[in-house]
């Protein structure tokens, strides 16, 4: 197998229960998380690795740009083997935070469903790239309280931060990176979108 960046720990053999992958988060919505995550998946796939993509929820499907695939569709294509439904357990039409979209749909985002989907995916590939939703502290659920940061922590993933080039990016980026570090998440280089 060709060499690759140590940013994603890819085991050379079985490693029961030991998570391998990367968490791609951002300073907010529209900063390039999906492009960064899909690029990482595509590059590692091209290098001969079986990489999975996971995004806990996608909202805004009713307002998606017809010229650009939805996040879970792009991530699926980058793997070359996953279906969009395997990338994302929850999809919602309104362009609102996942916890609100779920409430509007009469659905609960269940941590056990996310854990199960992630664990099954992990068993099928060498590493998983988890793409967050919105910013680091966006709630997936209020009862029980669950954020995308909570998922990165429970699955022991180091983080890459996608950010914007606009005025205010230094503060937005520092707040995100500082919070990741305070929570014990190793951070890798930050990417600037657009």
């Amino acid at each position: 197998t060709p060499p690759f960046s140590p940013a994603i720990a890819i085991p050379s053999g079985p490693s029961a229960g030991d998570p391998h992958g990367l968490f791609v988060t951002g300073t907010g919505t529209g900063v390039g998380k999906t492009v960064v995550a899909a690029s990482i998946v595509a590059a590692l796939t091209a290098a001969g690795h079986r990489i999975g993509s996971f995004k806990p929820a996608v909202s805004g499907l009713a307002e998606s740009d017809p010229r650009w695939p939805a996040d879970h569709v792009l991530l699926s294509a980058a793997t070359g083997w996953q279906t969009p439904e395997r990338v994302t357990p929850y999809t919602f039409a309104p362009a609102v935070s996942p916890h609100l979209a779920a409430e509007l749909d009469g659905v609960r985002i269940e941590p056990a469903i996310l854990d199960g989907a992630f664990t099954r995916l992990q068993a099928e590939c060498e590493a998983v790239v988890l793409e967050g939703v919105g910013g680091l502290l966006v709630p997936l659920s209020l009862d029980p309280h669950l954020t995308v940061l909570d998922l990165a922590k429970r699955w022991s993933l180091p983080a890459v931060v996608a950010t914007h080039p606009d005025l205010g990016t230094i503060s937005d980026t520092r707040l995100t990176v500082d919070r990741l570090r305070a929570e014990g998440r190793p951070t890798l280089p930050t990417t600037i979108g657009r």
Side-chain angles (χ1 to χ4, degrees):
T1 305
F4 56 91
S5 165
I8 298 181
I10 298 180
S12 57
S15 56
D18 187 17
H20 296 280
L22 184 67
F23 170 43
V24 177
T25 189
T27 55
T29 298
V31 296
K33 291 182 304 294
T34 304
V35 171
V36 170
S39 296
I40 291 168
V41 170
L44 288 169
T45 297
H49 297 285
R50 185 171 168 93
I51 305 299
S53 292
F54 190 80
K55 183 166 177 128
V58 172
S59 59
L61 293 177
E63 300 173 29
S64 60
D65 183 344
R67 299 168 297 165
W68 189 258
D71 294 357
H72 61 309
V73 174
L74 182 61
L75 292 168
S76 160
T79 71
W81 64 275
Q82 276 182 279
T83 63
E85 296 76 23
R86 292 288 314 281
V87 171
T88 305
Y90 295 98
T91 57
F92 304 104
V96 296
S97 65
H99 81 286
L100 181 56
E103 182 180 315
L104 293 171
D105 245 14
V107 175
R108 285 176 53 116
I109 294 180
E110 299 286 348
I113 289 175
L114 296 175
D115 284 335
F118 187 83
T119 301
R120 284 188 300 278
L121 178 57
Q122 239 183 337
E124 297 178 34
C125 57
E126 296 174 72
V128 177
V129 174
L130 164 67
E131 182 196 341
V133 180
L136 186 61
L137 299 177
V138 167
L140 297 168
S141 170
L142 296 180
D143 182 26
H145 188 266
L146 182 70
T147 67
V148 290
L149 173 60
D150 294 327
L151 295 181
K153 288 168 46 179
R154 78 196 298 148
W155 298 330
S156 302
L157 300 175
V160 168
V161 177
T163 191
H164 60 89
D166 303 324
L167 187 63
T169 195
I170 294 171
S171 180
D172 293 346
T173 305
R174 288 287 311 273
L175 286 167
T176 301
V177 170
D178 288 352
R179 179 62 185 262
L180 284 163
R181 289 180 178 160
E183 297 285 343
R185 292 297 85 226
T187 54
L188 303 167
T190 298
T191 65
I192 300 175
R194 284 195 227 131

